[in-house]
Amino acid sequence: MPSCPRLLRAGDLVRFDGRLHTVVALEGTAVRLVDEGQSPSVVFLAHLLSSAGFEVVTPSSVRAAVPAAGVLEGFPRKAVERAEWWQQHLVEMLTGRPLEDPHGPVRAAYDPAVRSLRQRELTKAEELEAGGHPASLKLIQRMRGRFEREGVLGLVDPRLRAVSDGTGRVDRRVVATLRKVVEDQTSRSTVSAQVLRRRMERALEAEHGPEVVPLPSRTTFYRLLSALSSGRHTLGSARTRRSLAKQPDGMFGQLTAVRPGEVMEIDSTPLDVLVVHDDGTVDTVELTGIVDIATRTLAAAVLRPSTKAVDAALLLARAMTPEPMRPGWADALRMSRSVLPHTSLIALDERLANAAAVPVITPETIVCDRGKAYISDTFRSACQALGISFQPAHPDTPTDKPHIEKTLGSVATMFSQYLPGHKGRSTEHRGVDPAAEAVWSIHQLQELLQQWIVIWQNRPHDGLRDPLMPGKALSPNEKYAALVAAAGHVPVALNSEEYIELLPRHRRTTNSYGVRINHRTYDSAELNPFRRQHSGAGDDGRGWDVHYDPYDISRVWVRNHRQGGWITAIWRHLRTAPMPMGELAWDHARRILAQRGTDAVTEEEIAQTAVALLDRAADGPEQAPVKPSAASSRRGRRDRKVAARTRTTSPPAWPRPADEPESPALPAPTEDGEEDLAKVVPLEIFDARKEAERRW
């Protein structure tokens, strides 16, 4: 145990201001000193201790420090016994008392009050030599210095204290080369250790020449590889290896949000459940969610066959609007039955009277990755219109948005695994035929997800612990109620006009026949005063601001730049194609007609072709599948995907702006001789084993 200064006491000899002083009295924070010339002085204790050159000279003013427990664990037994033997002798030499009895009588030969340190060291050297353990004065002084600096650990042989990096005595050139091979393996496919060994050998030959560097044996190489690849998953999962490489080298930062909506994170991930689409196909879906950091509230989540930019924009609208109670839900899921401040919030929005127990949160800052759906102009415009700060994460850095990553992972473990059709997170976790178990449609699964989110809001979350009561985990709703009371946050829900503002927009002129978007014509009687007129807004002052829903092209909304508000214009061929149709189906129908070589394609032809496409995809193949061409197979898969996404997104998002009275459709020209569509012939599944058994 090293010696260290204890508190001052009367009679101690100290060095202060370049002279020796004797402490004659301690009065509170003041110290009375007398120097060698018997001149008294009074100094504040803080000033005395912080003065340059201050030193306690009295030998008796040292005491043994508290021994460190467990510092000798892991060392050889003989080395531990040797260190403890030195500790006993050094403690006795420094304090005058044996280690086993620190409060016993002081031995006269080692009394610090009457014998100097050198006298005690000489006495200890004579005692050790008489006991059969000769030790020179220099050795005793060296051991005393190490003991005072490092404690009992300093008495252990320094060669045993060196921490090994696991590489042993292997040539440093081999270690450096193998370390580089392991680092290069991060972004590559997983290979065996033998491949890595060959890469190391070739790198050594290229850098130092053949047979210049001695290569380790097979056993040594495997031991060396295990040490250098520890925690990297070099021989394991490539996905895990890349994920670990993205983590920062230092300690993780922490972002503290003190009010709901201060920082929210949005992301998309494939859901590990197969669903039955409206056309009968079984396929996966994507889950897009937005989570609030302060409360861990899953403010909104939607399921789509694939995430588009407008999905991310409309997700903001869902987070800022109350979640209504649905038929069949338990009454315990109502907001009025929860811990949320329902009474004070209902005065701000009457829709909360029949809302579920999910708080309405207005985002202040949105953190997202750099996916196309989030860096698009549509999503950026939505954030700008709502006054939300758009904060994209660093490229390929999922740790910038860990909360949404963890939350979406919780959906997989706490929701998806319980559903029929669960396919696991990878092929190695997949069952024999999960597609045969799929029974839920995407609409039904969305309803189940919405109900699960309400349950999530009332479940204790391990990341929401009160600092004053760390033993209790709060639920997202409890945390929201606590932060609202402290921060005074008031949610502002969206109205129908704000909902329209989130939709994609175009600049169009108002002609005599209405407005046209992507070969579709929309018209309304309310446009009569503005036909063939300039809006007076925008860069050129000519175009009118037109917003549309890409998942329901039956109507658009034209901004009334003269009187304010919106004008709802109906698609003129809505009765020709009564099914709510999406932009994706419309564009796909146009491409089909373009491939046929049809000139001057009319709007009605496109509408009829799109409806026929959706009907054909929903009916399925008319005959047993045969081997088709690659082009027809691609068309078939594209048709099914278009049909699935169009039918999925046909129901309007809630809250939907109130429908305006439908304007009478203008007479549409009719054409005869419509060409029949080609049959969809699916492609067989390629079986390598079965193919190998065939005789050609």
Side-chain angles (χ1 to χ4, degrees):
M1 293 173 292
S3 58
C4 60
R6 60 168 173 78
L7 294 179
L8 289 177
R9 65 181 182 181
D12 285 343
L13 185 65
V14 299
R15 190 180 302 277
F16 171 64
D17 198 17
R19 295 175 296 169
L20 292 176
H21 295 74
T22 302
V23 179
V24 295
L26 293 170
E27 302 174 356
T29 59
V31 181
R32 184 177 296 275
L33 304 176
V34 175
D35 62 7
E36 297 174 317
Q38 301 300 314
S39 298
S41 61
V42 178
V43 183
F44 284 109
L45 179 61
H47 176 70
L48 177 67
L49 298 178
S50 61
S51 298
F54 171 76
E55 180 185 3
V56 179
V57 182
T58 304
S60 60
S61 60
V62 294
R63 63 176 175 81
V66 177
V71 295
L72 298 182
E73 293 182 359
F75 290 105
R77 182 175 58 84
K78 291 185 177 180
V80 174
E81 293 176 352
R82 183 68 175 174
E84 293 176 346
W85 179 83
W86 271 110
Q87 182 186 20
Q88 293 177 351
H89 288 284
L90 292 175
V91 168
E92 184 182 41
M93 182 185 71
L94 291 172
T95 64
R97 295 182 175 88
L99 179 64
E100 298 80 7
D101 188 11
H103 302 289
V106 178
R107 291 186 58 183
Y110 300 106
D111 189 354
V114 297
R115 298 180 67 88
S116 66
L117 179 60
R118 184 175 180 81
Q119 290 176 333
R120 286 175 280 157
E121 291 173 346
L122 292 173
T123 303
K124 180 58 68 176
E126 296 175 357
E127 179 183 332
L128 293 178
E129 186 173 2
H133 302 282
S136 64
L137 178 62
K138 185 173 294 187
L139 175 61
I140 294 176
Q141 291 175 341
R142 185 168 64 250
M143 297 299 289
R144 175 183 58 81
R146 288 163 51 181
F147 181 59
E148 291 178 340
R149 290 191 305 269
E150 305 176 57
V152 68
L153 185 62
L155 303 178
V156 179
D157 191 335
R159 294 171 295 181
L160 300 176
R161 295 165 52 193
V163 179
S164 174
D165 58 357
T167 60
R169 301 179 181 179
V170 181
D171 194 301
R172 295 297 95 184
R173 293 171 292 182
V174 174
V175 175
T177 303
L178 182 57
R179 180 175 283 112
K180 187 176 184 304
V181 170
V182 170
E183 293 176 354
D184 294 342
Q185 183 62 21
T186 300
S187 58
R188 307 178 69 172
S189 301
T190 302
V191 294
S192 64
Q194 190 63 27
V195 176
L196 299 181
R197 183 183 183 185
R198 182 54 187 162
R199 290 179 186 173
M200 179 196 70
E201 293 174 354
R202 295 185 62 185
L204 288 172
E205 291 180 0
E207 182 177 359
H208 303 285
E211 300 182 358
V212 174
V213 180
L215 300 177
S217 64
R218 183 184 181 89
T219 302
T220 303
F221 170 79
Y222 277 102
R223 184 169 60 250
L224 181 62
L225 178 62
S226 176
L228 297 181
S229 63
S230 177
R232 293 175 175 265
H233 279 256
T234 303
L235 302 179
S237 170
R239 180 179 179 181
T240 304
R241 181 167 62 250
R242 291 191 297 269
S243 178
L244 292 174
K246 296 175 184 177
Q247 295 181 358
D249 295 332
M251 62 180 296
F252 285 11
Q254 183 176 0
L255 177 63
T256 303
V258 298
R259 58 184 179 275
E262 182 178 2
V263 180
M264 302 184 75
E265 298 173 353
I266 185 173
D267 197 12
S268 302
T269 185
L271 196 66
D272 299 334
V273 176
L274 296 175
V275 300
V276 181
H277 294 285
D278 289 349
D279 63 345
T281 60
V282 178
D283 205 348
T284 57
V285 293
E286 282 194 2
L287 168 65
T288 302
I290 180 171
V291 67
D292 174 49
I293 294 181
T295 64
R296 301 299 197 274
T297 294
L298 191 56
V302 294
L303 299 175
R304 291 288 185 265
S306 59
T307 302
K308 302 294 183 181
V310 70
D311 293 329
L314 295 181
L315 191 67
L316 298 178
R318 294 182 65 94
M320 299 173 63
T321 53
E323 180 67 33
M325 287 289 294
R326 289 170 170 78
W329 285 16
D331 191 65
L333 301 181
R334 290 184 177 274
M335 182 180 290
S336 57
R337 299 284 302 276
S338 68
V339 298
L340 297 174
H342 176 263
T343 304
S344 59
L345 295 177
I346 196 174
L348 304 175
D349 192 342
E350 296 180 355
R351 290 176 294 180
L352 295 176
N354 297 317
V358 178
V360 179
I361 299 179
T362 303
E364 298 180 21
T365 301
I366 289 289
V367 179
C368 61
D369 57 23
R370 296 180 180 267
K372 293 182 179 179
Y374 304 117
I375 63 175
S376 63
D377 293 337
T378 300
F379 186 69
R380 288 173 177 265
S381 299
C383 293
Q384 183 178 6
L386 296 172
I388 301 174
S389 175
F390 177 75
Q391 182 64 54
H394 294 87
D396 202 25
T397 310
T399 51
D400 281 357
K401 47 182 183 57
H403 303 89
I404 185 63
E405 298 279 354
K406 182 64 175 179
T407 301
L408 295 182
S410 299
V411 175
T413 57
M414 301 172 57
F415 175 70
S416 302
Q417 292 184 0
Y418 296 90
L419 298 174
H422 176 253
K423 64 182 184 65
R425 65 178 183 269
S426 63
T427 54
E428 59 190 44
H429 295 88
R430 190 164 302 170
V432 177
D433 190 9
E437 304 174 1
V439 295
W440 295 107
S441 68
I442 192 171
H443 301 292
Q444 295 170 328
L445 196 60
Q446 180 73 53
E447 294 292 328
L448 292 175
L449 179 61
Q450 293 301 131
Q451 188 173 3
W452 180 85
I453 290 176
V454 182
I455 299 175
W456 163 275
Q457 290 297 122
N458 294 276
R459 177 183 176 274
H461 194 291
D462 192 61
L464 299 176
R465 294 188 179 273
D466 192 333
L468 300 179
M469 295 183 298
K472 175 178 175 54
L474 304 178
S475 68
N477 280 352
E478 291 174 339
K479 187 67 174 182
Y480 178 87
L483 291 183
V484 165
H489 173 75
V490 177
V492 180
L494 291 181
N495 53 36
S496 59
E497 293 187 358
E498 293 171 328
Y499 175 86
I500 297 175
E501 290 285 0
L502 289 177
L503 299 177
R505 69 184 184 93
H506 286 296
R507 300 288 294 183
R508 291 292 185 269
T509 58
T510 55
N511 299 302
S512 56
Y513 53 80
V515 296
R516 179 167 293 179
I517 295 180
N518 198 9
H519 297 275
R520 297 186 302 272
T521 303
Y522 298 87
D523 203 357
S524 172
E526 297 183 36
L527 291 176
N528 292 339
F530 313 113
R531 299 183 190 275
R532 302 185 301 276
Q533 296 186 24
H534 294 171
S535 65
D539 297 335
D540 55 2
R542 301 179 58 184
W544 295 73
D545 195 8
V546 181
H547 288 216
Y548 74 101
D549 188 344
Y551 298 138
D552 184 4
I553 60 177
S554 63
R555 68 201 67 213
V556 297
W557 291 271
V558 182
R559 189 189 300 274
N560 191 337
H561 295 281
R562 306 289 179 80
Q563 302 171 355
W566 297 90
I567 299 174
T568 303
I570 307 299
W571 184 27
R572 61 181 296 178
H573 289 288
L574 182 61
R575 292 183 180 145
T576 305
M579 180 194 310
M581 189 186 306
E583 183 81 18
L584 193 60
W586 178 269
D587 291 339
H588 190 57
R590 287 182 56 198
R591 284 193 292 269
I592 291 177
L593 294 178
Q595 293 173 359
R596 295 179 185 175
T598 305
D599 296 330
V601 179
T602 64
E603 184 178 341
E604 183 180 5
E605 285 179 319
I606 300 176
Q608 293 176 354
T609 305
V611 174
L613 182 149
L614 298 178
D615 290 341
R616 188 179 70 253
D619 294 339
E622 298 179 359
Q623 58 185 13
V626 295
K627 187 175 181 180
S629 64
S632 63
S633 176
R634 286 193 297 269
R635 288 196 299 268
R637 289 196 300 269
R638 177 66 176 174
D639 291 349
R640 291 192 296 271
K641 190 173 184 63
V642 169
R645 181 163 184 85
T646 301
R647 294 175 184 271
T648 299
T649 55
S650 293
W654 192 89
R656 175 67 181 271
D659 293 340
E660 299 291 339
E662 185 176 320
S663 301
L666 300 178
T670 59
E671 296 184 9
D672 299 330
E674 182 182 357
E675 184 179 352
D676 294 336
L677 298 178
K679 295 181 179 179
V680 179
V681 183
L683 180 66
E684 293 180 342
I685 302 299
F686 176 77
D687 190 340
R689 298 181 181 274
K690 186 176 180 181
E691 190 74 12
E693 298 175 356
R694 295 184 59 180
R695 294 184 179 180
W696 297 91

